[in-house]
């Protein structure tokens, strides 16, 4: 009876990241640079807040939009950090991670046939969500522009069907981000057009050498900001994300959220409240360590002779498959895993514009980085 299923569901595939990670999972002595999972523990004071929530029986439904104290803390967090102003009562929704936030936003603003502009290469989670709605993802080739989706590139891609533009910066998989002047140009281009901006800013607290700027500071009336505590506080399993948007829009997104999940887990909400108040700067120590690892990885890739674009944030390096090896990104990653037990993600997992590259996460210990890069160096030397 498989032919009776929704064709949009039948046509999408499992994420290329997970697909490759699952292929190499369980192999003894594998050094994995695949999943974007912080290797730090959730801060102890945040864990204790979760424990207290259980002990105090805070285990019931919350308001559909989330506990008001948490919404107030989230609004204050983005005000303090990024100078964004949202009313906690009506312009903030607590979601089950940034993934649900993205999904309910797209389900609210898209209709069948709508076009969504997004950079290529890009995190593979957006395209299936778009296609499930009968909408059309339009990947823009950013390879010649340091993987940045600029106003000029957007201008060339806009059509009468364009309904939304996704700005996922700092970027997964490339680690690059957009600077203030670049965001201003995009805002000037889109101001007054019937086009939404979905700004996925889940890595906003992990930027190096520059302060994160949100396009919502220039164009709040058309922007939906997605954020959460997964990366900033190493809380991926707690599943807490946020939607920030104008009240007229949030009230409709909330309807989709309500019928989808009712509310985010109450215990996780209490832990997130602690993270965004007492732990407002918890990301600083993690960011410092990530920056140290980034610099090490870049230095070693230079020594090995592998090209890359230096990341501005997040915890990924997007590196070039050496042309001399004459391999696709998938074959490169598969051979590297089989021959040297090092797992990276093929660039093809991030759209066709990622072909010829591979993503390497440095959200792991220095020992693992040293071991894995030594093996990678041996692999490249043997094949060259």
């Amino acid at each position: 009876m498989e032919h009776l299923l929704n064709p949009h569901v039948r046509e999408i595939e499992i994420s290329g990241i997970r697909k490759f990670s699952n292929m190499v999972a369980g192999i003894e002595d594998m050094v994995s640079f695949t999943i974007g999972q912080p290797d730090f523990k959730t801060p102890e004071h945040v864990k204790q807040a979760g424990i207290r929530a259980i002990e105090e029986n805070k285990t019931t439904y919350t308001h559909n939009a989330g506990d008001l104290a948490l919404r107030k803390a989230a609004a204050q967090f983005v005000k303090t950090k990024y100078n964004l102003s949202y009313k906690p009562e009506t312009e903030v929704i607590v979601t089950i991670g940034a993934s649900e936030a993205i999904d309910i936003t797209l389900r609210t603003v898209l209709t069948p046939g709508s076009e969504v502009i997004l950079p290529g290469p890009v995190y593979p989670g957006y395209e299936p969500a778009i296609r499930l709605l009968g909408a059309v993802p339009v990947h823009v080739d950013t390879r010649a522009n340091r993987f940045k989706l600029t106003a000029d590139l957007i201008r060339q891609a806009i059509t009468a069907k364009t309904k939304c533009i996704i700005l996922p910066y700092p970027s997964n998989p490339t680690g690059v981000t957009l600077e203030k002047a670049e965001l201003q140009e995009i805002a000037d281009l889109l101001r007054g057009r019937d086009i939404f901006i979905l700004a996925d800013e889940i890595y906003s607290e992990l930027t190096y050498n520059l302060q994160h700027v949100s396009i919502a500071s220039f164009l709040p009336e058309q922007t939906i900001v997605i954020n959460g505590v997964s990366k900033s506080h190493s809380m991926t399993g707690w599943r807490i994300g946020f939607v920030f948007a104008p009240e007229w829009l949030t009230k409709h997104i909330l309807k989709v959220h309500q019928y989808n999940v009712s509310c985010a887990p109450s215990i996780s909400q209490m832990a997130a409240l602690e993270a965004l108040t007492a732990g407002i700067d918890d990301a600083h120590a993690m960011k410092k360590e990530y920056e140290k690892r980034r610099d090490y990885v870049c230095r070693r890739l230079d020594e090995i002779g592998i090209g890359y674009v230096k990341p501005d944030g997040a915890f990924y390096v997007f590196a070039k498959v050496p042309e001399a090896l004459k391999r696709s990104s998938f074959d490169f990653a598969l051979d590297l895993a089989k021959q040297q037990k090092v797992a990276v993600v093929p660039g093809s997992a991030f759209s066709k514009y990622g072909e010829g590259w591979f993503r390497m996460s440095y959200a792991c210990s220095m020992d693992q980085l040293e071991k894995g890069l030594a093996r990678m160096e041996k692999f490249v030397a043997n094949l060259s």
Side-chain angles (χ1 to χ4, degrees):
M1 298 176 68
E2 187 175 3
H3 67 284
L4 299 177
L5 300 179
N6 183 333
H8 294 310
V9 176
R10 292 205 314 266
E11 290 165 5
I12 64 173
E13 296 185 10
I14 298 297
S15 159
I17 303 173
R18 291 288 179 176
K19 187 182 296 185
F20 196 83
S21 180
N22 292 341
M23 286 176 60
V24 299
I27 298 177
E28 187 177 356
D29 196 33
M30 179 69 68
V31 177
S32 179
F33 300 139
T34 56
I35 301 298
Q37 166 68 51
D39 62 311
F40 297 97
K41 304 298 184 184
T42 299
E44 187 63 30
H45 69 103
V46 175
K47 291 191 290 186
Q48 290 303 315
I51 292 170
R52 286 196 303 272
I54 296 172
E55 293 175 340
E56 295 171 5
N57 294 310
K58 294 180 179 178
T59 56
T60 60
Y61 293 123
T62 68
H63 188 287
N64 293 128
D67 182 85
L68 182 57
L70 176 55
R71 283 182 278 151
K72 288 180 177 179
Q76 185 58 53
F77 185 87
V78 296
K79 176 66 175 178
T80 301
K81 296 284 187 173
Y82 317 123
N83 198 31
L84 302 178
S85 296
Y86 292 99
K87 293 179 285 187
E89 296 83 3
T90 56
E91 298 183 324
V92 182
I93 301 173
V94 183
T95 61
I96 301 183
S99 296
E100 194 228 340
I102 292 165
D103 180 58
I104 61 176
T105 296
L106 292 175
R107 284 205 273 165
T108 301
V109 305
L110 298 183
T111 53
S114 298
E115 292 181 353
V116 181
I117 295 172
L118 60 168
V122 70
Y123 170 66
Y126 306 112
E127 180 173 346
I130 294 166
R131 291 196 182 279
L132 283 171
L133 298 168
V136 181
V138 178
H139 291 91
V140 174
D141 186 356
T142 63
R143 291 174 296 182
N145 201 43
R146 199 175 171 267
F147 299 122
K148 294 187 176 189
L149 184 60
T150 62
D152 285 341
L153 291 175
I154 292 171
R155 184 181 292 107
Q156 297 171 39
I158 288 176
T159 73
K161 295 181 179 180
T162 302
K163 192 72 168 294
C164 182
I165 294 169
I166 295 178
L167 294 181
Y169 295 100
S171 163
N172 174 8
T174 67
V176 304
T177 197
L178 297 182
E179 298 185 30
K180 184 176 181 179
E182 295 167 322
L183 291 166
Q184 180 71 71
E185 289 180 1
I186 294 174
D188 291 344
L189 170 67
L190 298 179
R191 184 172 287 105
R193 296 177 184 251
D194 292 333
I195 298 175
F196 294 102
I197 301 167
L198 190 159
D200 183 353
E201 301 180 4
I202 192 65
Y203 294 98
S204 60
E205 282 295 278
L206 302 178
T207 58
Y208 316 114
N209 306 321
L210 75 170
Q211 178 66 36
H212 174 76
V213 178
S214 175
I215 193 167
S217 61
F218 303 110
L219 202 59
E221 62 273 17
Q222 291 172 236
T223 301
I224 305 101
V225 174
I226 308 297
N227 215 315
V229 294
S230 288
K231 314 300 183 181
S232 60
H233 291 78
S234 195
M235 294 177 66
T236 54
W238 296 82
R239 307 311 301 134
I240 293 293
F242 302 102
V243 172
F244 301 93
E247 181 177 351
W248 67 267
L249 178 55
T250 303
K251 70 179 183 180
H252 296 294
I253 298 175
L254 181 59
K255 290 184 288 186
V256 181
H257 169 74
Q258 173 191 341
Y259 290 116
N260 189 27
V261 299
S262 294
C263 65
S266 58
I267 296 162
S268 295
Q269 289 191 54
M270 294 302 98
L273 174 60
E274 173 75 11
L276 296 185
T277 51
I280 190 171
D281 291 324
D282 279 352
H284 287 183
M286 289 185 277
K287 181 170 71 170
K288 185 176 180 180
E289 180 62 24
Y290 285 138
E291 186 171 10
K292 175 184 172 184
R293 296 175 190 176
R294 177 202 65 170
D295 292 344
Y296 173 76
V297 170
C298 290
R299 177 171 63 81
R300 289 293 286 122
L301 290 176
D302 286 335
E303 293 170 352
I304 296 169
I306 292 178
Y308 59 90
V309 172
K310 190 172 183 178
D312 303 310
F315 38 65
Y316 309 105
V317 174
F318 209 54
K320 196 89 169 81
V321 176
E323 293 182 7
L325 301 186
K326 295 180 169 54
R327 278 169 169 74
S328 68
S329 61
F330 183 87
D331 288 341
F332 170 84
L334 189 61
D335 290 344
L336 177 62
K338 286 181 176 179
Q339 296 179 29
Q340 290 295 333
K341 293 191 176 182
V342 177
V344 297
V345 181
S348 55
F350 305 100
S351 87
K352 66 180 181 180
Y353 297 121
E355 180 53 59
W357 298 74
F358 64 92
R359 191 194 77 174
M360 175 179 168
S361 169
Y362 49 88
C364 56
S365 70
M366 283 296 295
D367 287 344
Q368 288 292 93
L369 290 173
E370 291 170 1
K371 181 191 293 187
L373 284 161
R375 293 179 180 183
M376 188 180 297
E377 184 174 32
K378 183 178 179 181
F379 174 76
V380 172
N382 288 343
L383 291 180
S384 297

